[in-house]
Amino acid sequence: MKNINILQKVTCGMVLLLTFGCTDLDETTYSELSESNFYNNELELIQATLRPFTHMQAWLAWSGQSGYYYHNELSADQTAWPQKGRHGYDNADHIRQHYHTWTEREGRLNNAWSLMWTGLGFVNNAIESIENVDAAAANVTPERLESIIAESKVLRAYHYMKIMDMWGNVPIVTQVGIPQNPETVSRKEVFAFIEQELLENVEKLQPLSPKLIGRMSKAVGYSILSELYLNAEVWSGTSRWEDCITYSDKVINGEGGSLTGNMALDQDPLGPFNNTNEDSPENIFQFPFSRKNGFGYSWGSFYMGFSNMTAALDVNFSGNNAFVVVPSAFDAYQENDIRKQEWFLFGPQYKLGTDEPILGSEEYNGQPFVYVNNIRRNSEGQTGVGSMTDGEENSGARFHKYRSGTQDDPNYLEGDYVIYRLTEIYFNKAEALMRQNGGNATQDAVDLINASRERYFSSEDWADEMYTTATLSMDELLAERGREFIFEGMRRTDLIRFGEFTTGSWWDHEPSGDDHLTLYPIPFNQLQANPNLDQNPGYN
């Protein structure tokens, strides 16, 4: 049974506010939310802390808008949104992402900025309101009130970490509307602020348990610190590998709690992503979506194909046939890798449970529909690599990592969107160990990666597929990280940390060598609205 009753109640009350926050994207107000200090009990206090979560999925989840997820995936080497005949050109927005030719006038970049800063405004509003509450009047202890406030402060730190990842040098704003036009500070200062917020508040959080699904638990706080310190060299200029290991260990050892009693890797390759994934032993932080409770996940989004694909999956939703897998990313999986078999739609498509072929509706109208591992005009006889403007309706392998279930499944559309899972913490620790060791694998690092990888190969194949200290290089770690976390919204960040974002080649993407591209430009609309913002280097 999903523990989302509080989140469900909050959602209904926030619809009007979120409609404003998510659609009026011309400028950032850092927030125009009204305060209410009339919290009479613990439930109402928790509702206040959860309000920002109903907005966060709009910029963080793949089913949301053109926010953090869109930019962190489409600028990297695994997913793309190519033009497919008459569909998907969209002012060449996605093409510029793929080729790293964006400018400060990108509408989708402005959308991301507005969504993320509006979300930060929601968090600041919650903190200000709850900090003014008298614990006795709300019938809670001072310690409990402090823990509830800590949830929002850790959530604010998480927002800032993702904002810093995209733009680097940004304002630090902790009060609603004050100052009206905040000034840019350096990325190093932003990093220090995030670290301080986390260190002052994480230990005040409650341990992760089923009742804390979708909330800031100790395990979530430790996971954020693991990610923060993993990227510290990029984000602050100083490496923090030992700190990354320390907080990774706290998660791995269960010091922050767990959903199932013991923190453990899920041996089912679909366990963290299926429609009962609130029961996965490795999931740490997730959006608790539930169709039954009126807060269902929007599956008809960037990854879902046209309506002809509904019969292939036995679902009642469709999408805009947008994101596809970059051919070189699909080629990175071996044929005997269970992830390649389970996490993608590829090849001929049939009505679920039958041998009746799904038919195409565009270039292959009326013909059997087959997903192919190339992006080119095959219907016109084109050969070669292809390009972002040469796609067709069936170009590229497709997303099948999350599962909604079929329409007769009692848990249809009950799946949660996962933000942190234990496998990521294993990889974080392994990478930190290797970087401490001059880029060479230690046995501990090998054991961590093998623990994740083994579940994707048969026992007969495993002896040939396991890593050793000789075979787990930094290049191979990046490749395996890509295979493991495809579709999970972290690839751009990983490529930057490994020095491959502006120097690497994939499919038809050639490296630019321009390091300023590791930061996005501050959107033009925001510079116009706030004269105290400074544009990032390289975009003037």
PDB file of all heavy atoms in Angstrom, residues 482-500:
ATOM      1  N   GLY A 482      27.140   4.535 -17.725  1.00  0.00           N
ATOM      2  CA  GLY A 482      26.163   4.875 -18.745  1.00  0.00           C
ATOM      3  C   GLY A 482      25.164   3.759 -18.977  1.00  0.00           C
ATOM      4  O   GLY A 482      23.956   3.998 -19.094  1.00  0.00           O
ATOM      5  N   ARG A 483      25.653   2.530 -19.049  1.00  0.00           N
ATOM      6  CA  ARG A 483      24.753   1.401 -19.258  1.00  0.00           C
ATOM      7  C   ARG A 483      23.781   1.235 -18.085  1.00  0.00           C
ATOM      8  O   ARG A 483      22.608   0.918 -18.279  1.00  0.00           O
ATOM      9  CB  ARG A 483      25.568   0.115 -19.463  1.00  0.00           C
ATOM     10  CG  ARG A 483      26.296   0.042 -20.799  1.00  0.00           C
ATOM     11  CD  ARG A 483      26.976  -1.291 -21.005  1.00  0.00           C
ATOM     12  NE  ARG A 483      28.168  -1.457 -20.189  1.00  0.00           N
ATOM     13  CZ  ARG A 483      29.406  -1.207 -20.601  1.00  0.00           C
ATOM     14  NH1 ARG A 483      29.627  -0.745 -21.828  1.00  0.00           N
ATOM     15  NH2 ARG A 483      30.432  -1.414 -19.799  1.00  0.00           N
ATOM     16  N   GLU A 484      24.283   1.441 -16.883  1.00  0.00           N
ATOM     17  CA  GLU A 484      23.449   1.234 -15.697  1.00  0.00           C
ATOM     18  C   GLU A 484      22.409   2.335 -15.508  1.00  0.00           C
ATOM     19  O   GLU A 484      21.269   2.060 -15.132  1.00  0.00           O
ATOM     20  CB  GLU A 484      24.333   1.146 -14.449  1.00  0.00           C
ATOM     21  CG  GLU A 484      23.574   0.986 -13.149  1.00  0.00           C
ATOM     22  CD  GLU A 484      22.753  -0.283 -13.085  1.00  0.00           C
ATOM     23  OE1 GLU A 484      23.156  -1.315 -13.696  1.00  0.00           O
ATOM     24  OE2 GLU A 484      21.695  -0.272 -12.425  1.00  0.00           O
ATOM     25  N   PHE A 485      22.778   3.581 -15.778  1.00  0.00           N
ATOM     26  CA  PHE A 485      21.898   4.697 -15.428  1.00  0.00           C
ATOM     27  C   PHE A 485      21.276   5.374 -16.648  1.00  0.00           C
ATOM     28  O   PHE A 485      20.806   6.508 -16.552  1.00  0.00           O
ATOM     29  CB  PHE A 485      22.661   5.711 -14.574  1.00  0.00           C
ATOM     30  CG  PHE A 485      23.174   5.131 -13.291  1.00  0.00           C
ATOM     31  CD1 PHE A 485      24.532   4.965 -13.081  1.00  0.00           C
ATOM     32  CD2 PHE A 485      22.296   4.704 -12.305  1.00  0.00           C
ATOM     33  CE1 PHE A 485      25.011   4.403 -11.901  1.00  0.00           C
ATOM     34  CE2 PHE A 485      22.758   4.141 -11.129  1.00  0.00           C
ATOM     35  CZ  PHE A 485      24.121   3.993 -10.925  1.00  0.00           C
ATOM     36  N   ILE A 486      21.242   4.682 -17.776  1.00  0.00           N
ATOM     37  CA  ILE A 486      20.584   5.253 -18.946  1.00  0.00           C
ATOM     38  C   ILE A 486      19.141   5.605 -18.598  1.00  0.00           C
ATOM     39  O   ILE A 486      18.471   4.908 -17.826  1.00  0.00           O
ATOM     40  CB  ILE A 486      20.639   4.280 -20.146  1.00  0.00           C
ATOM     41  CG1 ILE A 486      20.208   4.996 -21.429  1.00  0.00           C
ATOM     42  CG2 ILE A 486      19.827   3.021 -19.888  1.00  0.00           C
ATOM     43  CD1 ILE A 486      20.508   4.232 -22.703  1.00  0.00           C
ATOM     44  N   PHE A 487      18.695   6.743 -19.088  1.00  0.00           N
ATOM     45  CA  PHE A 487      17.348   7.286 -18.878  1.00  0.00           C
ATOM     46  C   PHE A 487      17.141   7.873 -17.477  1.00  0.00           C
ATOM     47  O   PHE A 487      16.032   8.300 -17.163  1.00  0.00           O
ATOM     48  CB  PHE A 487      16.251   6.244 -19.116  1.00  0.00           C
ATOM     49  CG  PHE A 487      16.303   5.526 -20.427  1.00  0.00           C
ATOM     50  CD1 PHE A 487      16.298   4.137 -20.472  1.00  0.00           C
ATOM     51  CD2 PHE A 487      16.334   6.221 -21.623  1.00  0.00           C
ATOM     52  CE1 PHE A 487      16.322   3.458 -21.670  1.00  0.00           C
ATOM     53  CE2 PHE A 487      16.354   5.551 -22.840  1.00  0.00           C
ATOM     54  CZ  PHE A 487      16.355   4.161 -22.862  1.00  0.00           C
ATOM     55  N   GLU A 488      18.161   7.928 -16.623  1.00  0.00           N
ATOM     56  CA  GLU A 488      17.947   8.361 -15.240  1.00  0.00           C
ATOM     57  C   GLU A 488      18.370   9.799 -14.976  1.00  0.00           C
ATOM     58  O   GLU A 488      18.433  10.241 -13.824  1.00  0.00           O
ATOM     59  CB  GLU A 488      18.634   7.389 -14.278  1.00  0.00           C
ATOM     60  CG  GLU A 488      18.002   6.007 -14.324  1.00  0.00           C
ATOM     61  CD  GLU A 488      18.462   5.069 -13.228  1.00  0.00           C
ATOM     62  OE1 GLU A 488      18.569   5.518 -12.062  1.00  0.00           O
ATOM     63  OE2 GLU A 488      18.732   3.891 -13.535  1.00  0.00           O
ATOM     64  N   GLY A 489      18.667  10.567 -16.045  1.00  0.00           N
ATOM     65  CA  GLY A 489      18.804  12.013 -15.908  1.00  0.00           C
ATOM     66  C   GLY A 489      20.135  12.515 -15.390  1.00  0.00           C
ATOM     67  O   GLY A 489      20.215  13.664 -14.951  1.00  0.00           O
ATOM     68  N   MET A 490      21.205  11.716 -15.469  1.00  0.00           N
ATOM     69  CA  MET A 490      22.479  12.134 -14.885  1.00  0.00           C
ATOM     70  C   MET A 490      23.652  12.132 -15.867  1.00  0.00           C
ATOM     71  O   MET A 490      24.786  12.394 -15.469  1.00  0.00           O
ATOM     72  CB  MET A 490      22.824  11.234 -13.692  1.00  0.00           C
ATOM     73  CG  MET A 490      22.986   9.771 -14.018  1.00  0.00           C
ATOM     74  SD  MET A 490      23.357   8.752 -12.537  1.00  0.00           S
ATOM     75  CE  MET A 490      21.758   8.656 -11.756  1.00  0.00           C
ATOM     76  N   ARG A 491      23.413  11.882 -17.148  1.00  0.00           N
ATOM     77  CA  ARG A 491      24.528  11.603 -18.042  1.00  0.00           C
ATOM     78  C   ARG A 491      25.400  12.818 -18.330  1.00  0.00           C
ATOM     79  O   ARG A 491      26.627  12.704 -18.398  1.00  0.00           O
ATOM     80  CB  ARG A 491      24.012  11.006 -19.355  1.00  0.00           C
ATOM     81  CG  ARG A 491      25.108  10.448 -20.248  1.00  0.00           C
ATOM     82  CD  ARG A 491      25.926   9.382 -19.557  1.00  0.00           C
ATOM     83  NE  ARG A 491      26.895   8.770 -20.463  1.00  0.00           N
ATOM     84  CZ  ARG A 491      27.842   7.932 -20.098  1.00  0.00           C
ATOM     85  NH1 ARG A 491      27.973   7.592 -18.821  1.00  0.00           N
ATOM     86  NH2 ARG A 491      28.675   7.424 -20.978  1.00  0.00           N
ATOM     87  N   ARG A 492      24.821  13.992 -18.542  1.00  0.00           N
ATOM     88  CA  ARG A 492      25.643  15.184 -18.789  1.00  0.00           C
ATOM     89  C   ARG A 492      26.589  15.426 -17.624  1.00  0.00           C
ATOM     90  O   ARG A 492      27.787  15.689 -17.817  1.00  0.00           O
ATOM     91  CB  ARG A 492      24.739  16.405 -18.993  1.00  0.00           C
ATOM     92  CG  ARG A 492      25.460  17.746 -18.962  1.00  0.00           C
ATOM     93  CD  ARG A 492      24.483  18.914 -19.029  1.00  0.00           C
ATOM     94  NE  ARG A 492      25.110  20.148 -18.547  1.00  0.00           N
ATOM     95  CZ  ARG A 492      25.130  20.528 -17.265  1.00  0.00           C
ATOM     96  NH1 ARG A 492      24.560  19.764 -16.338  1.00  0.00           N
ATOM     97  NH2 ARG A 492      25.713  21.647 -16.911  1.00  0.00           N
ATOM     98  N   THR A 493      26.076  15.331 -16.403  1.00  0.00           N
ATOM     99  CA  THR A 493      26.894  15.540 -15.215  1.00  0.00           C
ATOM    100  C   THR A 493      28.053  14.555 -15.170  1.00  0.00           C
ATOM    101  O   THR A 493      29.193  14.927 -14.845  1.00  0.00           O
ATOM    102  CB  THR A 493      26.033  15.390 -13.950  1.00  0.00           C
ATOM    103  OG1 THR A 493      24.870  16.220 -14.082  1.00  0.00           O
ATOM    104  CG2 THR A 493      26.803  15.789 -12.703  1.00  0.00           C
ATOM    105  N   ASP A 494      27.779  13.296 -15.506  1.00  0.00           N
ATOM    106  CA  ASP A 494      28.837  12.283 -15.513  1.00  0.00           C
ATOM    107  C   ASP A 494      29.898  12.593 -16.562  1.00  0.00           C
ATOM    108  O   ASP A 494      31.111  12.501 -16.301  1.00  0.00           O
ATOM    109  CB  ASP A 494      28.244  10.903 -15.781  1.00  0.00           C
ATOM    110  CG  ASP A 494      27.443  10.366 -14.612  1.00  0.00           C
ATOM    111  OD1 ASP A 494      27.566  10.921 -13.506  1.00  0.00           O
ATOM    112  OD2 ASP A 494      26.692   9.390 -14.801  1.00  0.00           O
ATOM    113  N   LEU A 495      29.476  12.953 -17.760  1.00  0.00           N
ATOM    114  CA  LEU A 495      30.439  13.248 -18.832  1.00  0.00           C
ATOM    115  C   LEU A 495      31.330  14.424 -18.461  1.00  0.00           C
ATOM    116  O   LEU A 495      32.534  14.425 -18.749  1.00  0.00           O
ATOM    117  CB  LEU A 495      29.700  13.539 -20.136  1.00  0.00           C
ATOM    118  CG  LEU A 495      28.994  12.365 -20.817  1.00  0.00           C
ATOM    119  CD1 LEU A 495      28.266  12.847 -22.071  1.00  0.00           C
ATOM    120  CD2 LEU A 495      29.973  11.252 -21.176  1.00  0.00           C
ATOM    121  N   ILE A 496      30.756  15.430 -17.825  1.00  0.00           N
ATOM    122  CA  ILE A 496      31.555  16.583 -17.407  1.00  0.00           C
ATOM    123  C   ILE A 496      32.590  16.157 -16.371  1.00  0.00           C
ATOM    124  O   ILE A 496      33.769  16.524 -16.456  1.00  0.00           O
ATOM    125  CB  ILE A 496      30.643  17.702 -16.853  1.00  0.00           C
ATOM    126  CG1 ILE A 496      29.804  18.319 -17.976  1.00  0.00           C
ATOM    127  CG2 ILE A 496      31.469  18.783 -16.158  1.00  0.00           C
ATOM    128  CD1 ILE A 496      28.732  19.276 -17.501  1.00  0.00           C
ATOM    129  N   ARG A 497      32.175  15.356 -15.402  1.00  0.00           N
ATOM    130  CA  ARG A 497      33.105  14.921 -14.347  1.00  0.00           C
ATOM    131  C   ARG A 497      34.250  14.079 -14.910  1.00  0.00           C
ATOM    132  O   ARG A 497      35.381  14.130 -14.429  1.00  0.00           O
ATOM    133  CB  ARG A 497      32.341  14.133 -13.284  1.00  0.00           C
ATOM    134  CG  ARG A 497      33.117  13.894 -12.015  1.00  0.00           C
ATOM    135  CD  ARG A 497      32.279  13.233 -10.944  1.00  0.00           C
ATOM    136  NE  ARG A 497      31.790  11.914 -11.311  1.00  0.00           N
ATOM    137  CZ  ARG A 497      30.544  11.642 -11.695  1.00  0.00           C
ATOM    138  NH1 ARG A 497      29.642  12.613 -11.753  1.00  0.00           N
ATOM    139  NH2 ARG A 497      30.185  10.419 -12.020  1.00  0.00           N
ATOM    140  N   PHE A 498      33.982  13.314 -15.937  1.00  0.00           N
ATOM    141  CA  PHE A 498      35.002  12.474 -16.561  1.00  0.00           C
ATOM    142  C   PHE A 498      35.767  13.199 -17.675  1.00  0.00           C
ATOM    143  O   PHE A 498      36.614  12.607 -18.336  1.00  0.00           O
ATOM    144  CB  PHE A 498      34.362  11.203 -17.134  1.00  0.00           C
ATOM    145  CG  PHE A 498      34.148  10.115 -16.117  1.00  0.00           C
ATOM    146  CD1 PHE A 498      33.053  10.154 -15.258  1.00  0.00           C
ATOM    147  CD2 PHE A 498      35.030   9.061 -16.009  1.00  0.00           C
ATOM    148  CE1 PHE A 498      32.844   9.162 -14.314  1.00  0.00           C
ATOM    149  CE2 PHE A 498      34.829   8.046 -15.079  1.00  0.00           C
ATOM    150  CZ  PHE A 498      33.732   8.106 -14.223  1.00  0.00           C
ATOM    151  N   GLY A 499      35.454  14.494 -17.891  1.00  0.00           N
ATOM    152  CA  GLY A 499      36.163  15.263 -18.906  1.00  0.00           C
ATOM    153  C   GLY A 499      35.795  14.920 -20.332  1.00  0.00           C
ATOM    154  O   GLY A 499      36.555  15.209 -21.260  1.00  0.00           O
ATOM    155  N   GLU A 500      34.609  14.318 -20.546  1.00  0.00           N
ATOM    156  CA  GLU A 500      34.227  13.853 -21.878  1.00  0.00           C
ATOM    157  C   GLU A 500      33.132  14.690 -22.529  1.00  0.00           C
ATOM    158  O   GLU A 500      32.821  14.484 -23.696  1.00  0.00           O
ATOM    159  CB  GLU A 500      33.732  12.393 -21.794  1.00  0.00           C
ATOM    160  CG  GLU A 500      34.802  11.394 -21.406  1.00  0.00           C
ATOM    161  CD  GLU A 500      35.820  11.188 -22.508  1.00  0.00           C
ATOM    162  OE1 GLU A 500      35.455  11.290 -23.696  1.00  0.00           O
ATOM    163  OE2 GLU A 500      37.002  10.954 -22.193  1.00  0.00           O
TER     164      GLU A 500
END
